């Protein structure tokens, strides 16, 4: 699943709870308490009588005693908001079943049985969007992690693997298309105006991978021929009015299928691959076997309505869900503590795919930016957890950047340490050894260990220790060598005060200020302190370290400004070149925000950064895509984390002022160069291969000009908007205008809404651009937008487009008055009864109060306490708030 869910205790994962616990406090589930389920369920037959307001489900479960588990005289079938209409065992009505909370307990006095259960559900009333729910007249499902129990009673855990046969019946006029997992085996019409379809998935799967879709849909279809010569029917299902925006998704699917065959040797295993786009969806997409259900955001794209970044996201998410067919479906997770087994590995695979499709250098820089913005704060806050957690209250809270993005980085480190060929040998062994199983992270590491022939005993600490390691660097020249002394520390995190050193692979090169570039070396820092001797390339050495971001660590070094400028201009590793510019800006901005930078040093720092930016713009060897990366300042969120992790309490107001001041200085000093860059980029045609990079630098130039000369930038942005023949230029111009208090702002916002008011995804952009803006009245604007006729709290995309965007706006969210904090807390309280999974995702923004200056910290903590005092919180939100207060 692309960054899922609901209650009750999965049997075999005992939940340890204090007997005196508050009735609202959900129990804790511990990884160490895993036990195999007492019953196997080799076959499941489901019969759905579909309706928006009433769906009747008949489930027939073939169960067998599990020889690998303790003998069980009953079976616990998880449920959530369900009441059984009837329960039969071996063809006879069962009268001695009972409910234990939400779960159904059925006595079984033999080794093999057939259980038949009838339930009735109301999809239209399902605002949680988990299980079977209605979305704009269609029916669809979301079952990861624990949504299947909202459809029927079942051992809803990932280690129970079953072969599913499904029959669906519904009104043909309302649901002309009936889709499910696997291959369709039969279909037909009934005399009463209903029709039916039967589906069979031959591959055993856990209940979280079940999927069903019924609605009025059309398909963009194109077969894919596998390497073996077998044809696969590929369909992108959408509403008729959206069909013209599906070509990119279909081509992305084909590219993903071919790439996985070539790079990982994985061929698709069914005759049919369906993707369905739905407008109401809690996540990005879901990898259900043979029937992926996607948020429309990650399917629909054309140049008029989608940006270049949107096109990239569609391609990346399509690939991610397809790659899950092997890393997630054919091999799934034994329990939810192993979530990173499928998600971390699959994120790495989709990142590698995108690097091959779009270029490795820029993609790597983008991925690291996301990691630092989302995962580093998580590792440094009260919600820190290892990539394989030891406990949870609500598993949906662990669909995090740590599980996904850091999980990918951990596996990437293994790949860096053993090389591409040996890593492929390890993954081949993993797929061969565990195909058809519910596996663990340990199984994966062991397969890499055996296949690549490497000892990963110490490396396993990356799976059990939370926190972002910090590596300090000191150096000394000795003859023709440089001696590097590296020291690592892993900060204390909640529940883990003491950490052990972990193996940290680092790619290093030693360059010379004379212009000679040194060879690259891979070293592994495995102890708390180690010394490495590397050859010099010439006099005046400059060390380039963690090239390509080999390890997800923070590098601490005292590199002078001139050395950073040299690396920014000359390093032959694109990531290291970008990183040098980021370091140059971070050092300056943190000093300015903390008030420790003397005036003359501040002027010298600004001059160095301006000079580095000017050099990047003048470097004709750079393409615009890379130039655009070099022209990006570190985000306020990242600066916040740098200050906080450095032992200082972050001051969001001071950070914002320092960053805006530097933007203005760059915009003023380089005004003519930036305007020339904007003019040159504006002349590049939409279909020119260089167009993507040109569109990127064009808007980046406007950002700096707006900080220095708002009136001139408003004119240029308005001209860019009016001349735009694509969404990237139009959105970029409107983004700049949204932050300015000028007539052009209101005029273009109105024009944008009028043009796209019937397109939900583009209206989401309209909300987001205003919620993220630097406008002085952004809080008032967000309050007003919350009352707009197009806003609703029942659609997750719309909620994220306004309120989640605002929670990510450092200027508005961290307003000194605390009004931004109150707004977000109000959203959590209003949303929790409707959609707890989405509500809980707002909490981490407030949870970083310990890392902020005292005035704002008290306001943030106060809002968390207000949420907790409200009572009757969902399991999702309770866990996030309680950990944020106690962590």
């Amino acid at each position: 699943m692309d960054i899922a869910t609901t209650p009750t205790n999965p049997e075999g994962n005992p939940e340890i709870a204090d007997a005196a616990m508050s009735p609202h406090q959900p129990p804790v589930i511990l990884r160490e308490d895993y036990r195999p389920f007492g019953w196997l369920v080799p076959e499941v037959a489901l019969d759905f009588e579909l309706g928006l307001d009433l769906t009747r489900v008949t489930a027939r479960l073939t169960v067998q005693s599990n020889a690998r588990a303790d003998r069980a005289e009953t079976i616990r079938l998880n449920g959530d908001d369900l009441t059984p209409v009837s329960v039969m065992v071996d063809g006879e009505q069962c009268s001695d079943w009972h409910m234990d909370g939400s779960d159904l307990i059925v006595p079984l006095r033999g080794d093999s049985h057939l259980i038949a259960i009838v339930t009735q559900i109301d999809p239209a009333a399902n605002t949680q969007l988990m299980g079977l729910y209605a979305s704009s007249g269609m029916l669809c499902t979301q079952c990861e992690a624990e949504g299947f129990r909202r459809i029927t009673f079942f051992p809803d855990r990932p280690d129970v693997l079953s072969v599913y046969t499904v029959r669906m019946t519904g009104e043909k006029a309302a649901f002309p298309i009936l889709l499910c997992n696997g291959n369709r085996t039969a279909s037909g019409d009934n005399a009463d105006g209903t029709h039916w379809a039967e589906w069979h998935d031959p591959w055993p799967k856990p209940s979280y991978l079940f999927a069903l879709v019924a609605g009025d849909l059309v398909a963009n279809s194109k077969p894919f021929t596998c390497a073996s010569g077998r044809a696969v029917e590929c369909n992108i299902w959408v509403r008729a009015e959206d069909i013209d925006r599906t070509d990119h998704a279909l081509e992305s699917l084909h590219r993903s299928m071919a790439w996985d065959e070539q790079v990982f040797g994985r061929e698709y295993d069914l005759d049919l691959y369906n993707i369905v786009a739905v407008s109401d969806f809690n996540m990005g997409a879901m990898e259900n076997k043979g029937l992926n259900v996607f948020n429309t955001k990650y399917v629909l794209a054309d140049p008029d309505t989608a940006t270049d970044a949107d096109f990239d996201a569609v391609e990346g998410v399509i690939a991610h869900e397809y790659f899950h067919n092997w890393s997630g479906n054919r091999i799934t997770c034994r329990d939810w503590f192993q979530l990173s087994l499928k998600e971390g590995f699959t994120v790495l695979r989709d990142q590698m795919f995108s690097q091959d499709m779009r270029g490795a250098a820029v993609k790597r820089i983008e991925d690291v930016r996301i990691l630092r913005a989302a995962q580093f704060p998580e590792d440094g806050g009260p919600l820190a957890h290892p990539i394989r957690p030891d406990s949870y209250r609500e598993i949906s809270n662990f669909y995090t950047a740590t599980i996904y993005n850091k999980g990918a980085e951990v596996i990437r480190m293994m790949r860096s340490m053993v090389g591409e060929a040996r890593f492929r040998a390890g993954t081949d062994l993993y797929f061969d050894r565990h195909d058809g199983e519910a596996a663990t992270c340990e199984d994966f590491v062991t397969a890499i260990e055996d296949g690549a022939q490497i000892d990963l005993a110490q490396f396993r600490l990356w799976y059990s220790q939370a926190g972002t390691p910090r590596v300090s660097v000191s150096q000394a020249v000795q003859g023709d060598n440089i001696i590097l002394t590296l020291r690592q520390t892993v900060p204390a995190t909640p529940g883990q005060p003491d950490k052990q050193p972990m193996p940290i692979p680092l790619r290093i090169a030693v360059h010379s200020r004379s212009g000679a570039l040194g060879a690259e070396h891979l070293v592994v820092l495995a102890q708390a302190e180690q010394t490495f001797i590397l050859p010099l390339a010439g006099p005046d050495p400059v060390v380039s370290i963690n090239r390509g971001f080999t390890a997800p660590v923070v590098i601490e070094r005292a590199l002078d400004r001139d050395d950073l400028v040299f690396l920014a201009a000359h390093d032959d590793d694109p990531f290291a070149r970008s990183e040098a510019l980021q370091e140059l800006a971070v050092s300056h901005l943190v000093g300015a925000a903390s008030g420790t930078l003397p005036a003359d040093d501040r002027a010298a720092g600004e001059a160095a950064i301006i000079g580095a930016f000017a050099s990047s713009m003048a470097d004709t060897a750079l393409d615009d895509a890379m130039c655009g990366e070099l022209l990006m300042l570190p985000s306020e969120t990242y600066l916040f984390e740098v200050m906080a992790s450095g032992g200082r309490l972050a001051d969001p107001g001071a950070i914002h002022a320092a960053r805006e001041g530097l933007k203005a200085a760059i915009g003023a000093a380089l005004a003519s160069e930036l305007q020339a860059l904007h003019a040159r980029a504006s002349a590049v045609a939409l279909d020119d291969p260089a167009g993507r990079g040109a569109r990127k630098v064009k808007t980046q130039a406007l950002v700096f000009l707006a900080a220095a000369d708002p009136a001139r930038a408003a004119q240029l942005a308005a001209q860019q908007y009016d001349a735009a023949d694509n969404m990237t230029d139009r959105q970029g111009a409107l983004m700049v205008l949204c932050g300015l208090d000028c007539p052009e702002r209101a005029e273009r916002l109105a024009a944008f809404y009028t043009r796209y008011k019937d397109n939900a995804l583009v209206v989401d952009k309209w909300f987001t651009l205003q919620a993220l803006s630097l406008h002085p009245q952004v809080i008032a604007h967000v309050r007003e937008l919350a009352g707009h006729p197009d806003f609703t709290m029942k659609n997750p995309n719309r909620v994220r487009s306004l309120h989640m965007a605002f929670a990510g706006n450092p200027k508005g969210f961290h307003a000194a008055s605390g009004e931004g904090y109150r707004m977000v807390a109000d959203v959590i309280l209003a949303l929790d009864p409707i959609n707890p999974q989405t509500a809980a995702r707002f909490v981490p923004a407030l949870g970083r109060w310990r890392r902020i200056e005292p005035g704002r910290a008290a306001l943030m903590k106060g809002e968390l306490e207000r949420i907790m005092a409200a009572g009757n919180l969902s399991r999702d939100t309770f866990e996030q708030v309680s950990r944020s207060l106690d962590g």
Side-chain angles (χ1 to χ4, degrees), residues 468-472 487-491 553-556 642 645-646:
T468 303
R470 308 181 74 82
V471 176
S472 65
R487 301 175 181 86
Q488 65 161 297
T489 57
V490 186
V553 301
V554 174
I555 300 294
E556 298 177 326
V642 171
S645 60

Side-chain angles (χ1 to χ4, degrees), residues 112 227 282 304 320 440 450 466 596 631 676 768:
S112 181
N282 280 336
D304 184 57
H320 181 95
T440 65
D450 294 345
T596 60
L631 294 181
T768 296

Side-chain angles (χ1 to χ4, degrees), residues 375-406:
Q375 197 280 320
F376 277 23
E378 202 166 80
D379 247 352
L383 303 178
H385 56 276
I387 65 170
R388 184 189 58 202
D390 293 319
S391 66
Y392 64 81
R393 295 184 188 274
E394 171 51 59
I395 185 54
S396 69
N397 288 333
F398 280 89
Y399 285 75
T400 61
T402 295
I403 299 297
Y404 282 68
N405 302 75
K406 185 175 181 179

Side-chain angles (χ1 to χ4, degrees), residues 755-775:
R755 177 173 180 147
Y756 295 111
K757 63 184 178 182
D758 296 325
N759 186 312
L761 291 178
V762 184
V763 172
D764 286 341
K765 295 177 181 294
W766 184 77
F767 279 101
T768 296
L769 288 167
Q770 295 175 79
L772 281 174
S773 85
L774 298 176
H775 196 281

Side-chain angles (χ1 to χ4, degrees), residues 23 48 65 102 129 146-147 219 279 331 348 355 369 412 415 485 505 541 617 620-621 635 638 705 741 761 791 799:
F48 289 86
S65 180
S102 297
L129 309 185
E146 296 174 345
S279 55
I331 305 176
L348 174 64
Q355 287 179 347
R369 183 183 299 117
R412 186 186 289 269
R415 185 171 182 264
T485 301
M617 286 191 285
T620 56
S635 71
Y638 181 56
L705 290 170
D741 193 4
L761 291 178
F791 184 77
V799 172

